[in-house]
Amino acid sequence: MIEVGKMGYRNEVISSIEAKKKRGQKITMLTAYDYPTGRMVDRAGIDAVLVGDSLGMVVLGYETTRKVTMDDMLHHARAVRKGVERALLVGDMPYMSCEPDEDAAVRNARRFIREAGCDAVKVEGGTGVVSRIEAIIADGIPVMGHVGLTPQSVDEGNGFKVKGRGKEDAEKIIKDAAAVQGAGCFSVVLECVPAVLAGKITAELTIPTIGIGAGPSCDGQVLVIHDLLGMFDKFVPKFVKRYADLNAEAVRAIEAFKQEVESGEFPSADSSF
Ligand code: KIV
């Protein structure tokens, strides 16, 4: 039985993720927000499970991720932890959790480790958050970076749009990726950047890049589990591949239940005591 949330095991999993880049093996990461999903993703052999602040949009029904609080994140991370025994468990630092200073960033990162049993945290942003990332890592907590489209900035007129199309914007993302590597991140998410730019960053960095809407050259890929399984039907981003349509399947099952109750077919003698 693996001892979850223990430093030795955590370091081993991080090393195995880093080693995959060196060997040219792809890294897989998926989000999870509850115990049964954590169990499924872990059982399927995925390398890392992210309790993403996408929680706000796909589970809590918000328009953006910015309303998600530390308490929301910890509540869900604790449930996922119970289901994840093998994969690396990463807690997503929500909007404003690294503010107003390094102390706040460290305090909130510690909560993910101590109160929810996460192995690492993810911090959105590039050069602007380097001091926060450095402080968290100095406290002994591994950090995954996140550059390109950073959903926590969408209310600032940024929009859910591809980043890095122009030369200046591309250079900024290259600089951001180098900055989070320099700060000590063990990997970095590249979100919604052109495939060629993601390939260039992946070749330049020594840490693994994990892409979402960033093309095939990244060292790994991450998707939001509700997108992959077809459970979120409000919109489907271009970069998503749906591997199932659980939303339609669930509605079919619920309609069958309703119809059988109304007709008296359920519960049958077999389902009764
Ligand atoms: O919150 C999230 O799910 C994320 C992924 C999209 C990487 O940050």
Side-chain angles (χ1 to χ4, degrees), residues 31 50 52-54 92 122 146 189 191 212 222 224:
T31 65
L50 172 68
D53 65 354
S54 47
D92 206 3
K122 178 168 80 59
H146 183 156
V189 169
E191 180 163 356
I212 176 161
V222 54
V224 167

Side-chain angles (χ1 to χ4, degrees), residues 43-155:
R43 206 170 63 190
I46 294 297
D47 294 306
V49 179
L50 172 68
V51 186
D53 65 354
S54 47
L55 162 78
M57 297 175 74
V58 299
V59 175
L60 303 179
Y62 301 148
E63 292 297 320
T64 76
T65 60
R66 293 175 73 160
K67 280 197 184 145
V68 177
T69 64
M70 270 304 296
D71 286 341
D72 292 332
M73 291 303 299
L74 294 172
H75 177 73
H76 287 266
R78 266 194 296 272
V80 177
R81 171 77 282 171
K82 290 198 165 69
V84 174
E85 292 197 345
R86 178 200 47 77
L88 186 78
L89 184 63
V90 184
D92 206 3
M93 296 282 284
Y95 182 58
M96 296 303 276
S97 62
C98 285
E99 300 303 326
D101 53 23
E102 286 73 34
D103 287 349
V106 171
R107 198 166 48 247
N108 284 319
R110 277 185 190 168
R111 293 190 70 193
F112 272 109
I113 309 299
R114 291 184 182 165
E115 295 177 36
C118 289
D119 303 305
V121 296
K122 178 168 80 59
V123 174
E124 277 189 23
T127 52
V129 292
V130 160
S131 67
R132 311 300 203 250
I133 292 173
E134 284 173 344
I136 296 169
I137 293 172
D139 199 54
I141 300 170
V143 178
M144 178 179 278
H146 183 156
V147 304
L149 171 68
T150 49
Q152 288 169 19
S153 313
V154 294
D155 274 5

Side-chain angles (χ1 to χ4, degrees), residues 12-21 27 47-48 88 186 208:
E12 216 174 276
V13 182
I14 288 178
S15 304
S16 78
I17 287 174
E18 289 165 336
K20 279 197 159 184
K21 176 172 179 126
I27 298 156
D47 294 306
L88 186 78
F186 70 91

